[in-house]
Amino acid sequence: MSRPSADLIAAPDLADNVNPATTGVAWRRVAAIARNAFREAVRDRVLYNLVFFVLLLIAGAIFLGEISAGQEAKIIVDLGLSAILLFGVFIAIFVGVGLVYKEIERRTLYAILSKPIGRGEFMLGKYLGLCLTLLVNVLVMAIGVSLALLYVSRGWDPFVLTIWPAVLLIYLELMILTGVALFFSSFSSPALSALLTFFIFVIGHFSADLKNLSTSMGSISARWLFGALYYLLPNLANYSFITPAAHGHLPSAGFVLAALLYACAYIAVILAGATMIFSRRNFK
């Protein structure tokens, strides 16, 4: 049995001598679940392997940059940010789809839910725990890209500041994808959840094409289908700022704010849907 889940079950401050209706206690329960989800994710060796491969890829970007005439910074930023996104997606999918399933498989979920912990609190805690894991990994990888830029420039490089807005947008995209993974894991198997989440990631980067199809198709039913997909699936293309960042461009404050608000709204809806489905499941 997993130690983090056992710690959560045994934690007296979550179940004993408290009023479950109070907001403060509810957030303490969510925070406890998030901490345990973070510790469990950190103990998973796949995270260390991913970080290792990202750092290896950054080292390769340094090598490629040095053999290219005057394009060192551009190549490092392009490959580095792409690596952060790619491996962040792997973490969000392969760790996210197992957050709920592992608790069910090990039967620790029954003991957790026997305490005054709501299923919505459980889902929110799991989500925040994985988001914290992603934050740590993204920061480590972004710092690695920054150090690579300083190394090839033999000093300060303006690209060091340019990449961080793009890193923020990447992290927002990963937060959305984590919510999607948790949504599918609330009612499906890990393999199917991972496949569906990956499809959402791919299709989400072609939202403009879905919109074009919804207006250009001859069939009315096809128009409705692609129109519904356009509005239901997350528009992840808004968070793809890797190429502009590699050319030294910065997103406007309004663009980042709009992306942040969209991410918060979509995450709230997807987590509400995941909680609704999870609350209706019978684990007896």
Side-chain angles (χ1 to χ4, degrees):
M1 183 180 295
S2 170
R3 179 177 175 79
S5 298
D7 292 341
L8 176 60
I9 295 169
D13 61 332
L14 299 181
D16 302 328
N17 302 320
V18 295
N19 181 6
T22 61
T23 303
V25 173
W27 276 108
R28 287 170 59 195
R29 293 195 291 265
V30 171
I33 296 171
R35 285 196 304 270
N36 283 279
F38 174 74
R39 287 202 294 259
E40 186 172 358
V42 168
R43 290 174 181 175
D44 197 338
R45 294 181 179 179
V46 67
L47 301 182
Y48 300 103
N49 292 333
L50 290 176
V51 172
F52 170 76
F53 282 117
V54 167
L55 295 178
L56 186 63
L57 184 58
I58 293 172
I62 295 176
F63 173 75
L64 291 176
E66 289 183 342
I67 64 176
S68 61
Q71 299 294 318
E72 298 92 343
K74 180 181 180 298
I75 292 177
I76 290 175
V77 172
D78 201 344
L79 289 180
L81 293 180
S82 298
I84 292 175
L85 175 61
L86 179 62
F87 289 107
V89 167
F90 286 157
I91 295 174
I93 292 178
F94 292 108
V95 178
V97 298
L99 287 176
V100 177
Y101 181 80
K102 287 181 180 179
E103 299 290 355
I104 299 175
E105 187 181 48
R106 294 186 299 227
R107 306 185 70 85
T108 54
L109 179 65
Y110 306 99
I112 294 174
L113 296 182
S114 67
K115 302 293 183 179
I117 299 176
R119 297 194 182 190
E121 296 169 352
F122 174 79
M123 296 293 283
L124 180 59
K126 287 291 187 181
Y127 173 78
L128 293 178
L130 182 51
C131 284
L132 180 59
T133 305
L134 283 169
L135 178 61
V136 172
N137 281 272
V138 167
L139 286 177
V140 170
M141 291 184 283
I143 291 173
V145 175
S146 299
L147 293 177
L149 286 170
L150 294 176
Y151 173 79
V152 298
S153 300
R154 303 297 189 269
W156 177 252
D157 192 310
F159 274 107
V160 173
L161 295 180
T162 304
I163 68 170
W164 286 97
V167 171
L168 173 60
L169 292 174
I170 289 174
Y171 180 66
L172 292 176
E173 178 178 349
L174 295 178
M175 290 180 67
I176 294 175
L177 203 62
T178 299
V180 172
L182 195 62
F183 172 79
F184 287 128
S185 69
S186 65
F187 63 88
S188 182
S189 65
L192 182 58
S193 298
L195 184 62
L196 291 174
T197 305
F198 180 74
F199 283 158
I200 296 297
F201 168 70
V202 174
I203 298 174
H205 282 272
F206 295 94
S207 294
D209 295 329
L210 290 176
K211 187 175 182 179
N212 293 333
L213 287 172
S214 67
T215 57
S216 62
M217 296 296 291
S219 171
I220 297 179
S221 58
R223 291 182 183 178
W224 278 96
L225 173 62
F226 288 111
L229 289 175
Y230 173 75
Y231 287 106
L232 288 176
L233 300 182
N235 187 354
L236 301 180
N238 290 333
Y239 301 90
S240 181
F241 206 79
I242 295 176
T243 300
H247 288 84
H249 301 303
L250 288 171
S252 65
F255 180 85
V256 175
L257 179 60
L260 175 61
L261 294 177
Y262 177 85
C264 291
Y266 198 92
I267 290 169
V269 171
I270 201 73
L271 288 182
T275 300
M276 185 181 302
I277 295 174
F278 188 67
S279 298
R280 295 177 180 272
R281 291 188 61 177
N282 186 1
F283 297 106
K284 295 181 180 180

